[in-house]
Amino acid sequence: MSKAPKRPGQRDDLRRWDDEGGAPRSGHPSHEPHPGPTQATQPALHYFNIGTRSGVIEDSEGETHPGLQAARADALAKARDMIAKGDQKGEDRHDWSFEIRDRANQHVLTVALSEISKSKLTSQGGRR
């Protein structure tokens, strides 16, 4: 009698996910130690999850940046576009935020879209 083929378990699935360079899925923290938000000398993978009023939109691909400051600058640029597109649609997105996570799916930085509107008003000599 032959045995049924072995189906990969959830543990195998997560191990394969980590081996391919992706972040573990939500609810499955990585077992790698978290180094903390330091300036990296080598490019690092960052995930830009978007926090909205109704929940979180997860970034499954991520982007590589030379350091955390570059990731923050990218988040601010993306925030400008998101606010502009929201304004065109009549959606207020000023209370949204980017939750930046590292390769190990550890939170390293939050960038609020409201930072754009504050800096925009300040740079134009407007009110705060």
Side-chain angles (χ1 to χ4, degrees), residues 61-112:
E61 296 182 18
E63 295 180 32
T64 304
H65 297 90
L68 192 54
Q69 290 303 318
R72 182 180 186 281
D74 190 23
L76 290 170
K78 291 175 191 290
R80 282 184 197 92
D81 291 341
M82 291 178 72
I83 288 175
K85 288 178 183 174
D87 289 347
Q88 290 173 352
K89 294 179 178 183
E91 297 175 0
D92 181 12
R93 297 179 176 179
H94 291 89
D95 60 346
W96 289 16
S97 63
F98 280 106
E99 298 169 1
I100 302 175
R101 295 185 168 270
D102 64 11
R103 178 182 294 274
N105 202 27
Q106 299 295 319
H107 180 265
V108 293
L109 182 67
T110 298
V111 177

